Amino acid sequence: MTIGKPGKVAALAMVLLVTGCASTPGSMSQDDYSQYLKATTLQVDQLLAESKRDEAVNLLSKAAELGPASKEPWVRIARIQFDGGKYGEAIVAAGEVLQRDPADRVAKSVRAVSGLRVATESLADLRNDAEMTGSARGDAVALARVMRESLGESVLIPPPTPEELEARRLEEEREKAQKQKARPKARVKKSMPAASEGRPPAATAASGSGPFGALK
């Protein structure tokens, strides 16, 4: 403890000193900002150990302002907000990271999982709604109504584009042509047994006219 306290005080003093020298974002040199970020990281770790998430986020937000091109503060903010269950804030922070580094896998993961959890919570809220307790069709209708009201849209699915309509028309024409080709074959198959049933044509002619000739 006696060793940890001086180190903590020194880190805090460095943060205050550098912060006081840098009054505007981007005025710090790269080396100064790196030292400032290291000191901020130590203080953020201490705040998180004390469950002071909001204060830690505030420090990192200040670091993000002083280093607009740096993604590190935003990465840490995204993780803290995600761990705290603040998925909306985590998505925003992850978006800031991806603006600076589109290939950052941590930010991609945080944004994807946070989005899924937000969607899951939203669906759970809708499912627990008093109106969502009927049949499957009734629930679907109620859900569509709630979504339309929330989005302010009368149509949830946009109308098809001209390209999609043309593709559907061509597909229908192909199906129709295939059916027309298959019809003559079906008629031939049906007529074959009819020609072979009963007596041969010659025997029928010899028995007289009409189907009752054999009874005379």
Side-chain angles (χ1 to χ4, degrees), residues 68-80:
S70 177
K71 73 173 184 177
E72 280 75 14
W74 290 110
V75 172
R76 194 71 188 277
I77 291 174
R79 287 179 171 177
I80 293 173

Side-chain angles (χ1 to χ4, degrees), residues 8 14 57 59 71 85 99 102-103 106 109 120 135-136 139 159 196 200 206:
K8 188 190 306 182
M14 183 180 296
V57 170
L59 277 181
K71 73 173 184 177
Q99 287 181 7
V106 173
S109 300
T120 300
S135 63
D139 286 352
S196 60

Side-chain angles (χ1 to χ4, degrees), residues 7 13-14 20 26 40 57 68 74 87 94 106 116 123 132 136 145 179 182 185 188:
M14 183 180 296
T40 301
V57 170
W74 290 110
Y87 302 119
V106 173
L116 289 173
L123 290 174
M132 308 290 289
R145 184 178 67 255
K179 290 180 180 180
K185 295 181 180 179
V188 171

Side-chain angles (χ1 to χ4, degrees), residues 89-166:
E89 291 85 345
I91 292 172
V92 172
E96 293 288 345
V97 176
L98 295 174
Q99 287 181 7
R100 294 159 176 79
D101 182 8
D104 191 281
R105 297 185 66 182
V106 173
K108 289 181 179 179
S109 300
V110 168
R111 187 173 64 174
V113 178
S114 296
L116 289 173
R117 292 190 177 181
V118 169
T120 300
E121 290 177 357
S122 299
L123 290 174
D125 292 340
L126 288 173
R127 189 176 185 84
N128 293 331
D129 193 288
E131 296 182 5
M132 308 290 289
T133 57
S135 63
R137 180 177 177 81
D139 286 352
V141 172
L143 176 59
R145 184 178 67 255
V146 172
M147 292 179 67
R148 283 196 297 267
E149 294 174 353
S150 300
L151 298 175
E153 298 287 344
S154 59
V155 179
L156 295 178
I157 302 176
T161 62
E163 292 78 8
E164 293 175 341
L165 290 175
E166 180 65 16

Side-chain angles (χ1 to χ4, degrees), residues 7-37:
K8 188 190 306 182
V9 173
L12 179 58
M14 183 180 296
V15 171
L16 295 175
L17 177 62
V18 178
T19 304
C21 295
S23 58
T24 59
S27 63
M28 301 173 64
S29 66
Q30 185 62 39
D31 291 338
D32 289 342
Y33 183 75
S34 297
Q35 294 299 321
Y36 166 74
L37 195 58

